[in-house]
Amino acid sequence: MKDNVNNTVKEEKGLSRRELLGGTTKVAAVAGVAALAVSAGGVGTASKAVASSPSKNKSHIAPGDLDEYYGFWSGGQAGDIRIMGVPSMRELASIPVFNYCGATGWGQTNESKEILTEGLTPEGRELADANGGLYLNGDTHHPHPSFTDGTYDGRYVFINDKANSRVARIRCDVMRTDKIIQVPNVQAIHGLRVQKFPRTGYVFANGEFRIPSPNDGRDLEDVAKYQTMFSAIDGDTMEVAWQVIVSGNLDNNDTDYNGEYVVASCYNSENGVTLGEMMEAERDHVVVINVAAVEAAVKAGKFKTIGDSKVPVLDGTKENGEKYTRYIDIPNSPHGVNTAPDGRHIVVNGKLSPTVSVLAVAKFPELFAGKIKPRDCVVAEPELGLGPLHTAFDNKGNAYTTLFLDSQICKWNVDKALAAHRGEDVNPIIQKLDVQYQPGHNHTSMGETKDADGKWLVSLNKFSKDRYINVGPLKPENDQLIDISGSKMKIVHDGPTVSEPHDCTIVHRSKINPSHIWDRNDPWWETARQQAKADGVVLEEDSKIIRDGNKVRVYIVSIAPTFGLEEIKVKKGDEVTIYVTNMDDVEDLCHGLTLTNYGVAMEIQPNQTQSVTFKATRAGVYWYYCQWFCHALHMEMRGRFIVEG
Ligand code: K7E
Ligand code: CUA
């Protein structure tokens, strides 16, 4: 196995953290402290390949060994993304996205504020302004890495925010969010998937709730006029390319492997606004979106725009959608939509129906040509158990469906389900496994790509109940790791998580290749770079203070264990911006800047520049310090912020 993870032992250039700490520590007495910092960092420990682990339990990753997979876990209502190691289920990192993060300064640094605000719609900006200019919450559900040619390409991870109708892009090289947009004309982005072929390409985002259009105070009680839309976002520019109005409430979606069709599940085909109204019909539907037909109409200018938004909008409702959409009846309130790695079948999970409906992608052209009826696309509809929510796949033609109400995973064979549907006397169900408890999503290693490998399945269970020592009324959720490499599924690990992750993706480590330090040419600090240039300052070299009326710009170069300035003098009432450039180009050597009692704090990763702006509101002496234990003399890495009255 090609291993590009074990190369972390030595950096490309410069000293290792161990060497740096040893070499610059002049005081013998602090040697012990340095050793402590090193063991916490873990750099310099040789790592064995996973396969060489002598442990019987394949999920046990011995100390010093590395995981085979990156897991990208939604942080749920916490609004972040967590990187998990699979199969160890160790939490490796949190990537701030839609949240405020005190550890990194996300939501406070100028760089993050730019990302958090630049993509808001005018209405969103107005509403966020009521909260001090930022949304401080998010509700993430579906993290999906970018694709090239049917498999992960390691560029980005995309994720939705249901709470404030946003979509974010995370750069996999630095594992930081670089773009966030708010989708206009819709409320609550829920289902999100990306184009698998030829590449991502589009990010497909489902608007869930139906609202007046435009939502500016008109039609408040005229619920028949409410509508929702399916949106295609250009993953390269992060701009909404087009939207299609659909019937029902959009829930989840998935795409084919040809870049031609998207299937989205819809509940509430009744278009009701109360629970009773939403539950009236026995059947709801999935909507199939024909990407090429939509693109052609947009190109031909056959669209409208709504309100301030310039996004092309097409009518794809049941009544008018002819060219762009088709509706296939599915038993009551379908939820998850999952494309099999064979590229030929898409499974729609019944939720309130004990069935899953298998759609044949090959039938879609005939469906749009009007040659077959919508239900002719359903080529199997096995009854699996109560509450099917989501389905994952291995590389042997088997599917694994979560049964929310039964608290089980049902393993079934797709070909056998097709045969049974044709009338053959076969049972597609292979095994039912109890999970603890009430699973929502599940995910297999590489199972959302053509490279599904059939090794691991994670069941993301909503309730843990008695599986952990009691931590109070709010229990953790329980993500169970299941070995699916044999003929029977076997639970091998319980992994507690907080804040309802909903969903995850499991990516082989050969696909992801993050940097160890920032590149000084990175666009992350472009605004800072421009400002420095105008001030005649070189970010990498100069520590100085520039006064510009009552605006003060402070440039600081940090190299362990010092800040380039040990004293910053300003006047009461000044608006102060502090730019810190970490010139330690050493792996894992992060600095920070915290200004005591001012509520100011940010991380500055190796070779990164970050900045923060605040008002010097009170005279006095305020110490700023580095809050990452970077060096034996870390406690001494500080200076005085002096505000003259
Ligand atoms: Cu099933 Cu938001 Cu993907 Cu939760 S959704 S479970
Ligand atoms: Cu720099 Cu602690």
Side-chain angles (χ1 to χ4, degrees):
M1 179 174 50
K2 183 170 165 285
D3 191 339
N4 64 2
V5 175
N6 283 351
N7 64 7
T8 58
V9 178
K10 276 273 179 186
E11 298 69 40
E12 303 88 89
K13 53 176 177 169
L15 294 163
S16 75
R17 184 172 177 174
R18 180 191 292 275
E19 285 160 350
L20 175 115
L21 285 154
T24 58
T25 303
K26 299 229 170 65
V27 193
V30 297
V33 180
L36 204 127
V38 168
S39 67
V43 176
T45 315
S47 340
K48 286 171 282 174
V50 176
S52 70
S53 169
S55 167
K56 265 194 191 146
N57 182 347
K58 283 187 283 173
S59 76
H60 179 68
I61 301 296
D65 282 354
L66 304 178
D67 282 295
E68 191 175 355
Y69 300 90
Y70 287 90
F72 293 100
W73 251 249
S74 144
Q77 314 89 299
D80 61 335
I81 283 189
R82 296 171 201 148
I83 307 178
M84 305 280 283
V86 178
S88 74
M89 304 294 278
R90 296 178 292 197
E91 188 174 314
L92 306 178
S94 158
I95 305 171
V97 188
F98 301 113
N99 54 329
Y100 173 80
C101 172
T104 59
W106 185 259
Q108 184 174 74
T109 62
N110 294 317
E111 291 70 28
S112 64
K113 278 182 169 171
E114 213 174 290
I115 293 163
L116 283 158
T117 54
E118 69 186 350
L120 292 181
T121 62
E123 308 92 88
R125 204 173 285 265
E126 189 187 316
L127 292 166
D129 272 344
N131 261 334
L134 289 176
Y135 289 115
L136 296 176
N137 72 309
D139 182 11
T140 65
H141 288 233
H142 303 116
H144 290 284
S146 57
F147 279 73
T148 295
D149 197 16
T151 193
Y152 298 135
D153 60 18
R155 290 179 296 135
Y156 299 117
V157 174
F158 299 91
I159 193 160
N160 71 302
D161 165 28
K162 177 166 168 174
N164 296 306
S165 314
R166 292 176 293 176
V167 174
R169 182 174 79 179
I170 289 88
R171 280 170 55 180
C172 289
D173 60 343
V174 291
M175 294 299 179
R176 281 291 174 270
T177 307
D178 82 325
K179 285 275 180 193
I180 295 178
I181 62 162
Q182 189 171 39
V183 183
N185 305 329
V186 297
Q187 260 175 41
I189 295 294
H190 185 227
L192 177 139
R193 292 292 176 125
V194 303
Q195 195 176 0
K196 299 182 174 80
F197 182 89
R199 68 190 282 281
T200 312
Y202 289 129
V203 178
F204 298 114
N206 283 358
E208 183 174 338
F209 302 148
R210 295 162 51 80
I211 51 170
S213 183
N215 190 26
D216 57 2
R218 75 186 71 187
D219 303 332
L220 295 177
E221 301 297 341
D222 195 352
V223 298
K225 286 196 177 149
Y226 290 10
Q227 58 186 28
T228 193
M229 297 181 205
F230 173 88
S231 303
I233 298 158
D234 180 328
D236 292 318
T237 62
M238 288 298 278
E239 280 166 12
V240 182
W242 41 261
Q243 297 183 303
V244 178
I245 305 165
V246 299
S247 306
N249 283 93
L250 284 166
D251 196 0
N252 283 288
N253 68 48
D254 204 351
T255 72
D256 64 6
Y257 275 81
N258 308 315
E260 293 171 341
Y261 300 100
V262 189
V263 173
S265 59
C266 301
Y267 68 99
N268 187 24
S269 58
E270 303 86 344
N271 293 337
V273 291
T274 63
L275 179 61
E277 288 166 14
M278 293 186 213
M279 297 303 301
E280 266 166 27
E282 293 269 296
R283 286 183 165 246
D284 286 300
H285 55 246
V286 294
V287 55
V288 186
I289 293 117
N290 184 333
V291 173
V294 174
E295 283 176 331
V298 170
K299 214 173 161 194
K302 291 181 195 151
F303 58 81
K304 62 171 180 177
T305 58
I306 296 172
D308 303 334
S309 162
K310 304 220 159 38
V311 176
V313 176
L314 294 166
D315 190 343
T317 54
K318 243 179 195 172
E319 304 73 37
N320 308 315
E322 275 296 278
K323 292 193 209 75
Y324 320 118
T325 55
R326 285 289 181 280
Y327 289 79
I328 302 173
D329 282 1
I330 299 288
N332 207 349
S333 205
H335 184 61
V337 180
N338 302 93
T339 307
D342 66 12
R344 294 182 290 130
H345 299 105
I346 296 180
V347 173
V348 181
N349 300 264
K351 193 170 79 181
L352 300 186
S353 161
T355 54
V356 294
S357 308
V358 182
L359 310 179
V361 175
K363 304 247 183 200
F364 293 164
E366 295 169 71
L367 174 66
F368 275 90
K371 289 182 185 151
I372 57 172
K373 291 203 201 74
R375 280 290 298 177
D376 293 341
C377 296
V378 178
V379 292
E381 207 156 61
E383 191 170 320
L384 302 180
L386 297 181
L389 286 188
H390 295 278
T391 296
F393 303 90
D394 65 17
N395 54 350
K396 301 176 201 85
N398 300 315
Y400 303 79
T401 301
T402 53
L403 301 174
F404 179 78
L405 297 173
D406 283 341
S407 281
Q408 286 182 320
I409 302 276
C410 176
K411 177 180 177 181
W412 54 284
N413 182 274
V414 177
D415 278 340
K416 283 190 179 155
L418 301 175
H421 197 73
R422 289 191 300 263
E424 288 175 40
D425 185 21
V426 285
N427 180 5
I429 294 175
I430 299 166
Q431 184 197 356
K432 284 190 179 180
L433 177 76
D434 288 343
V435 291
Q436 287 75 26
Y437 303 88
Q438 265 87 33
H441 273 272
N442 61 358
H443 196 88
T444 47
S445 44
M446 294 299 288
E448 251 172 37
T449 74
K450 65 176 189 187
D451 295 333
D453 62 18
K455 283 197 191 169
W456 298 108
L457 170 71
V458 173
S459 174
L460 293 98
N461 309 308
K462 302 288 185 195
F463 295 83
S464 65
K465 295 179 186 169
D466 50 7
R467 300 295 278 196
Y468 302 106
I469 52 172
N470 186 10
V471 291
L474 177 64
K475 321 289 186 218
E477 311 219 343
N478 190 21
D479 296 350
Q480 289 180 304
L481 182 72
I482 299 163
D483 182 350
I484 55 166
S485 59
S487 59
K488 291 257 172 208
M489 297 181 277
K490 223 175 99 194
I491 294 179
V492 294
H493 185 83
D494 273 13
T497 52
V498 293
S499 311
E500 190 145 8
H502 284 280
D503 195 10
C504 68
T505 44
I506 304 172
V507 184
H508 194 268
R509 66 184 186 188
S510 62
K511 304 281 183 194
I512 307 281
N513 204 355
S515 311
H516 293 293
I517 60 174
W518 287 74
D519 181 338
R520 286 301 307 159
N521 295 317
D522 200 281
W524 188 266
W525 49 86
E526 187 52 35
T527 307
R529 190 182 282 126
Q530 293 304 330
Q531 186 60 58
K533 209 173 152 195
D535 286 339
V537 167
V538 179
L539 287 175
E540 292 78 8
E541 291 171 11
D542 301 331
S543 292
K544 53 166 94 161
I545 300 172
I546 307 280
R547 175 167 286 279
D548 174 4
N550 63 354
K551 289 195 164 127
V552 178
R553 291 185 286 278
V554 181
Y555 295 90
I556 298 179
V557 174
S558 70
I559 298 175
T562 55
F563 286 119
L565 291 173
E566 292 188 290
E567 182 185 302
I568 302 168
K569 223 175 233 169
V570 302
K571 293 193 176 62
K572 186 180 161 183
D574 284 344
E575 184 195 284
V576 181
T577 302
I578 302 181
Y579 302 85
V580 183
T581 299
N582 178 351
M583 286 308 287
D584 279 306
D585 59 351
V586 173
E587 174 177 321
D588 205 9
L589 212 157
C590 190
H591 295 296
L593 181 116
T594 295
L595 179 56
T596 323
N597 286 11
Y598 262 88
V600 167
M602 63 181 173
E603 64 169 356
I604 311 106
Q605 297 178 4
N607 257 1
Q608 189 185 24
T609 296
Q610 293 232 86
S611 67
V612 61
T613 300
F614 59 95
K615 244 195 166 139
T617 48
R618 208 187 136 80
V621 172
Y622 299 89
W623 287 91
Y624 54 94
Y625 67 93
C626 169
Q627 78 273 34
W628 295 83
F629 208 114
C630 55
H631 190 278
L633 294 169
H634 153 82
M635 300 305 289
E636 289 81 356
M637 189 169 175
R638 58 190 168 112
R640 284 179 306 155
F641 182 71
I642 299 170
V643 185
E644 298 171 333

